[in-house]
Amino acid sequence: ATNLAGNYLSGAHLARLETPIMSIQGLIVPRLEFYHWYEIEENYDGGNIKISVDDGKSWQMINPEGGYSIEALPDAYGNPLSGQPAFTGKSSAWKKAELDLTSFKETPFFQLRFEFGADEQKEAAGWYIDNFKLFDGNAVLIAKTSNPATDSPLQLRIHPNPANPVAALRFKTLRAEKLQLQIFNSIGQRIVNRYFITDAEEWAQWNWSGMNDQQQSVASGIYIIYLSGKQGSVSKKIIFIR
């Protein structure tokens, strides 16, 4: 929230709330939703959402479905978000905001930033955000038509997790094919890229000892294992401990 204990203050200022780094690798229809309630000086103060795909080096506006309340905040009273679209006015109740992230499917990792700008004049209750969720919009259809435990054409298992000093990556496909296995670090850099030929319905295994493709040891932390082929893709997190 802009202020959990009361109104946001008057006076031109900018407030920011950033999410942790997230991944949509392997999601067929990546979507994001959250609920928000706001009471903001209408048409003068407001908030919007931005996305970064380069570890926060740059940010671009992202529009929720249905758009914002106003196309551009005015620049008459020093609002740092002047000229930008924003939620403004009164929501009257908690409302769901939805964002389609399909255009970012090829981006391994991203962050979102909620920005709120106020001008020199009034104060108000502010902007409150809750029930933030990142999910696959195709998940409901998948759940209705298959049993993920037995019907998935591509399966990936990691043991142990957390891992030290070696993680066994086991994978299986319904049909024989060539698979690509990639590992990304927490800022979206690909550190491992391997290819494997699999037999149908046979478990294959590759042991990762915490080395990148340059045979350098990686640091302790969270990594994303991303396995893909013609039959689909799957991704899982692994914690590697030195």
Side-chain angles (χ1 to χ4, degrees):
T2 46
N3 183 2
L4 284 169
N7 293 350
Y8 65 86
L9 300 178
S10 59
H13 66 275
L14 178 68
R16 289 172 174 165
L17 175 65
E18 293 181 8
T19 69
I21 295 173
M22 298 179 287
S23 172
I24 54 175
Q25 287 285 353
L27 301 188
I28 299 173
V29 184
R31 294 183 64 82
L32 187 146
E33 70 177 36
F34 62 90
Y35 283 80
H36 62 155
W37 181 96
Y38 53 90
E39 185 176 312
I40 304 168
E41 184 189 10
E42 190 166 10
N43 297 331
Y44 289 95
D45 299 343
N48 57 35
I49 311 163
K50 297 179 174 69
I51 189 169
S52 174
V53 296
D54 56 8
D55 196 28
K57 296 181 179 66
S58 62
W59 297 85
Q60 58 181 296
M61 184 73 63
I62 185 169
N63 295 314
E65 294 182 355
Y68 290 100
S69 310
I70 189 173
E71 292 184 0
L73 291 168
D75 58 3
Y77 300 102
N79 191 322
L81 294 184
S82 64
Q84 298 182 21
F87 295 113
T88 187
K90 296 182 180 180
S91 65
S92 301
W94 284 93
K95 294 183 177 180
K96 182 167 69 172
E98 299 181 79
L99 298 93
D100 184 353
L101 303 180
T102 303
S103 60
F104 299 96
K105 282 183 67 173
E106 300 305 316
T107 303
F109 298 94
F110 72 97
Q111 284 179 278
L112 289 185
R113 172 187 283 176
F114 294 85
E115 288 195 335
F116 179 82
D119 63 17
E120 299 169 353
Q121 301 186 95
K122 302 176 182 179
E123 61 181 60
W127 192 16
Y128 294 77
I129 299 165
D130 201 1
N131 290 350
F132 183 95
K133 182 172 69 172
L134 176 65
F135 64 101
D136 192 339
N138 198 46
V140 174
L141 177 61
I142 293 173
K144 289 181 179 179
T145 59
S146 67
N147 181 341
T150 59
D151 295 343
S152 176
L154 188 57
Q155 296 185 47
L156 171 64
R157 295 179 181 176
I158 302 172
H159 182 79
N161 191 8
N164 177 17
V166 175
L169 311 181
R170 303 185 70 229
F171 40 92
K172 183 174 73 171
T173 59
L174 289 179
R175 298 187 302 273
E177 70 161 300
K178 182 178 182 180
L179 298 179
Q180 182 181 20
L181 188 148
Q182 303 174 81
I183 302 178
F184 297 89
N185 62 20
S186 61
I187 62 173
Q189 297 171 323
R190 187 173 69 179
I191 60 171
V192 172
N193 184 34
R194 299 290 179 93
Y195 292 90
F196 300 91
I197 303 296
T198 62
D199 295 324
E201 295 286 2
E202 294 289 338
W203 285 101
Q205 179 170 318
W206 180 67
N207 295 327
W208 184 47
S209 58
M211 308 287 285
N212 62 21
D213 280 343
Q214 287 71 48
Q215 295 303 305
Q216 300 167 328
S217 298
V218 303
S220 298
I222 298 175
Y223 296 85
I224 300 295
I225 312 295
Y226 182 60
L227 185 69
S228 59
K230 293 181 179 179
Q231 300 174 67
S233 62
V234 61
S235 64
K236 289 190 175 182
K237 291 182 181 179
I238 180 174
I239 300 174
F240 202 89
I241 301 173
R242 286 292 177 190

